[in-house]
Amino acid sequence: MSFTSSSPVHPHARNLGPAHIGMMHRQIPKNFCKWKHAQVVDERPDPKGRFVVTNNSFPPGTVLLQEQPFIKSLHHSYRYSHCTFCFLPVKKPIHCRRSGCSWPLVFCSTACENENWETGIHSWLCQFPETQQWDDDILLALDGYTKARINWKSGTDLIALSDLVSNLEHHPQTQISEYRAKAKEIASLFYLSEHAVDSLVLIQAQIRCNSFCIQHTASAVSDSLISQMSDSLGKGVYLSASRLNHDCSPNAVVTFGQEDTPSLLVVRSTQTVTGAGENVSISYGPMAVKHPLVERRRLLNDHYFFECQCKSCLPSAEVTGESIYLCQQCPLGRLYRLQPNCPICKSCTEWRIIEDQEKEIEGYIRKGKFEIALECQERIYDKEAYPIGRTVDELARVYAMQGVFGLSAKYSSRSLGIVQRTFGMSSLEAAEEMMKLSSLLFERQNHAI
Ligand SMILES: C[S@@+](CC[C@H](N)C(=O)[O-])C[C@H]1O[C@@H](n2cnc3c(N)ncnc32)[C@H](O)[C@@H]1O
């Protein structure tokens, strides 16, 4: 799709302005949200901004937050199979009440269609068939714009999605130009002001830095292996969970859904907390046990535009960590990153060469050449190292998609062993791997019959 400012203006849009957009929402959905055993700290100056701390002690697995999204959008590939409002799989599709609506979306019940009509932007957008071409992100931004608070005195000024971080000053210029082009497309269709364009740019940046991928959960997973392995049902912005900072060795985890609420976000502790005042953190993706420091830095910068200041990323942490590197001189030596000498044979390690090899491996992984990547990894990492686990997991996924279930199960079983060793036998990660492997074994048996 393209976002050009030359698209024809729909006759309905001529009489619309920001005030109309504000009035469009007859109801703002109740933002069900509850912190337990923890609270947000707004005032204390901290390089990472606001953060969440514990109020008391609790064991791992304790639920700290349950929250419904403030705004959400179902991934376009699920628009025919899942309810646009509640994200549940649809058995008997209910369509939009407007007879001329040609949007590709379905609801699981009239109640969901009604809620969506009352609280969402669809009741208004479906008058403009051209907006069907807009991508999921810009629809989410428009939803955020309409739910943001409008300054009624000026009629145009707008306070964006609460006061969420945007890191706009660190987004590359090309990215900002893309946001602006999309914002202008909306503004030209609905006759919005330059203020509105600026707000829509800011909201897109806020969504980029604060949205969560709403993942399938076990209860929402269909019986097909591919859908079990697919990543996200959609995207959501959760105003309270957006206060959680990232840590490469976090003490909490985010999961989604409980029975019939796939977009409900749940934050659970993963470690024992011994008292009040401990920071609660999650991982935005990169983890010290999974990714080397350079890769974590790149991922956080590319996706969220900030330099991580967590303990695992401090300069002193660069020279510690797990001993996953093979000594290049003796068969028994294992080294942590940048360790100068092998603890067994005392030989000196050429880290520059190993780093070059790691870059080459990343290139293979990006191009989907997982078998070559694995071969190269086996030359520098211990066979149980986590980077190897990630590659064999990718190989399991690729072979499952090709229907080669035997080979897929072999790689998945190797991945399970590595995950169990890295995260523990009863970790969430190990449970997820176990589920994948059991589906693969089931598929392999089915295909053998
Ligand atoms: C979802 S917000 C978290 C709450 C945020 N601290 C606030 O004040 O609202 C994410 C932003 O917080 C900051 N942040 C979170 N974790 C960080 C970390 N480990 N190091 C540095 N900045 C961090 C970054 O600006 C990041 O884009």
Side-chain angles (χ1 to χ4, degrees):
M1 65 144 307
S2 72
F3 278 94
T4 57
S5 52
S6 58
S7 65
V9 175
H10 192 283
H12 286 154
R14 294 205 180 278
N15 297 324
L16 287 169
H20 295 86
I21 293 185
M23 286 191 296
M24 198 178 92
H25 280 283
R26 290 178 287 278
Q27 282 175 23
I28 297 279
K30 281 196 197 78
N31 191 30
F32 165 70
C33 145
K34 213 169 175 187
W35 282 106
K36 278 189 237 157
H37 313 289
Q39 68 184 75
V40 175
V41 179
D42 271 326
E43 307 88 31
R44 284 225 316 255
D46 186 285
K48 301 187 206 106
R50 290 156 299 193
F51 54 97
V52 177
V53 290
T54 58
N55 286 336
N56 47 40
S57 50
F58 46 80
T62 304
V63 172
L64 306 179
L65 175 70
Q66 295 199 351
E67 188 178 14
Q68 294 285 8
F70 181 63
I71 49 173
K72 62 179 186 283
S73 78
L74 182 70
H75 190 273
H76 60 264
S77 59
Y78 291 104
R79 280 194 192 157
Y80 290 107
S81 57
H82 287 63
C83 177
T84 292
F85 185 74
C86 73
F87 289 16
L88 280 171
V90 168
K91 289 192 185 101
K92 274 195 195 157
I94 305 286
H95 297 278
C96 171
R97 65 187 67 183
R98 196 190 298 282
S99 58
C101 174
S102 56
W103 275 64
L105 45 84
V106 291
F107 301 94
C108 64
S109 64
T110 46
C112 277
E113 193 277 337
N114 197 49
E115 277 284 302
N116 193 65
W117 187 266
E118 294 292 332
T119 62
I121 47 177
H122 178 71
S123 52
W124 183 64
L125 278 189
C126 74
Q127 297 172 74
F128 307 100
E130 58 269 53
T131 59
Q132 279 178 47
Q133 304 306 316
W134 291 356
D135 64 27
D136 296 347
D137 282 352
I138 196 64
L139 291 172
L140 196 61
L142 186 56
D143 200 6
Y145 177 81
T146 60
K147 288 195 178 102
R149 282 179 289 142
I150 287 178
N151 179 338
W152 295 103
K153 279 193 186 139
S154 71
T156 51
D157 203 0
L158 183 141
I159 302 160
L161 273 187
S162 173
D163 49 357
L164 299 185
V165 165
S166 74
N167 294 340
L168 197 55
E169 64 283 16
H170 303 302
H171 289 228
Q173 208 44 53
T174 47
Q175 182 70 66
I176 297 177
S177 305
E178 211 177 287
Y179 295 152
R180 193 158 287 281
K182 292 181 182 186
K184 281 191 167 165
E185 175 86 354
I186 294 179
S188 78
L189 183 60
F190 299 125
Y191 267 58
L192 303 181
S193 67
E194 267 306 307
H195 275 292
V197 172
D198 290 343
S199 299
L200 279 161
V201 169
L202 177 63
I203 290 173
Q204 288 175 80
Q206 288 178 310
I207 290 174
R208 176 74 185 254
C209 294
N210 293 279
S211 59
F212 286 84
C213 271
I214 300 172
Q215 306 277 349
H216 277 282
T217 56
S219 56
V221 161
S222 81
D223 53 3
S224 124
L225 180 73
I226 306 299
S227 77
Q228 245 186 57
M229 286 184 162
S230 79
D231 44 8
S232 88
L233 256 185
K235 238 186 208 182
V237 174
Y238 298 78
L239 298 181
S240 298
S242 285
R243 296 291 186 249
L244 286 162
N245 282 336
H246 163 85
D247 198 297
C248 294
S249 306
N251 59 3
V253 68
V254 167
T255 55
F256 287 92
Q258 277 184 350
E259 299 290 319
D260 53 357
T261 51
S263 62
L264 180 74
L265 175 148
V266 182
V267 178
R268 280 194 179 79
S269 63
T270 51
Q271 292 168 16
T272 302
V273 166
T274 51
E278 269 188 43
N279 272 310
V280 179
S281 56
I282 56 171
S283 163
Y284 296 175
M287 297 202 26
V289 285
K290 291 186 188 178
H291 309 93
L293 184 68
V294 247
E295 199 185 338
R296 302 202 303 271
R297 280 204 181 125
R298 184 183 58 74
L299 288 168
L300 290 170
N301 257 314
D302 288 0
H303 291 272
Y304 303 108
F305 314 108
F306 73 87
E307 295 285 337
C308 186
Q309 315 260 349
C310 80
K311 272 200 209 102
S312 315
C313 293
L314 293 178
S316 57
E318 211 165 316
V319 289
T320 57
E322 265 203 288
S323 300
I324 59 167
Y325 292 89
L326 297 178
C327 171
Q328 299 298 307
Q329 305 300 328
C330 74
L332 295 179
R334 298 289 179 270
L335 294 91
Y336 56 76
R337 190 175 191 80
L338 302 184
Q339 188 171 356
N341 297 96
C342 169
I344 306 283
C345 71
K346 310 293 176 210
S347 67
C348 182
T349 304
E350 289 268 10
W351 283 102
R352 204 180 32 78
I353 297 175
I354 295 189
E355 280 174 353
D356 284 348
Q357 282 173 306
E358 283 184 320
K359 277 190 202 133
E360 202 180 324
I361 291 167
E362 248 192 89
Y364 288 134
I365 289 175
R366 242 180 280 128
K367 288 182 196 147
K369 297 182 173 175
F370 300 114
E371 250 138 7
I372 307 179
L374 181 61
E375 235 174 74
C376 300
Q377 283 177 323
E378 282 172 335
R379 278 186 230 130
I380 58 170
Y381 299 126
D382 181 276
K383 63 180 186 328
E384 301 219 306
Y386 194 78
I388 290 193
R390 279 166 57 212
T391 310
V392 288
D393 188 46
E394 285 294 345
L395 280 164
R397 186 180 59 81
V398 168
Y399 281 114
M401 283 166 83
Q402 292 171 3
V404 189
F405 296 109
L407 207 45
S408 176
K410 188 187 111 189
Y411 283 119
S412 174
S413 152
R414 185 165 173 197
S415 166
L416 171 65
I418 295 174
V419 166
Q420 282 177 332
R421 190 189 142 272
T422 313
F423 297 98
M425 297 295 267
S426 50
S427 62
L428 214 65
E429 285 83 359
E432 231 171 63
E433 287 304 306
M434 195 100 75
M435 215 167 74
K436 275 191 221 167
L437 179 60
S438 52
S439 313
L440 284 166
L441 294 173
F442 181 74
E443 291 288 334
R444 190 180 65 177
Q445 200 169 5
N446 269 359
H447 283 75
I449 293 166

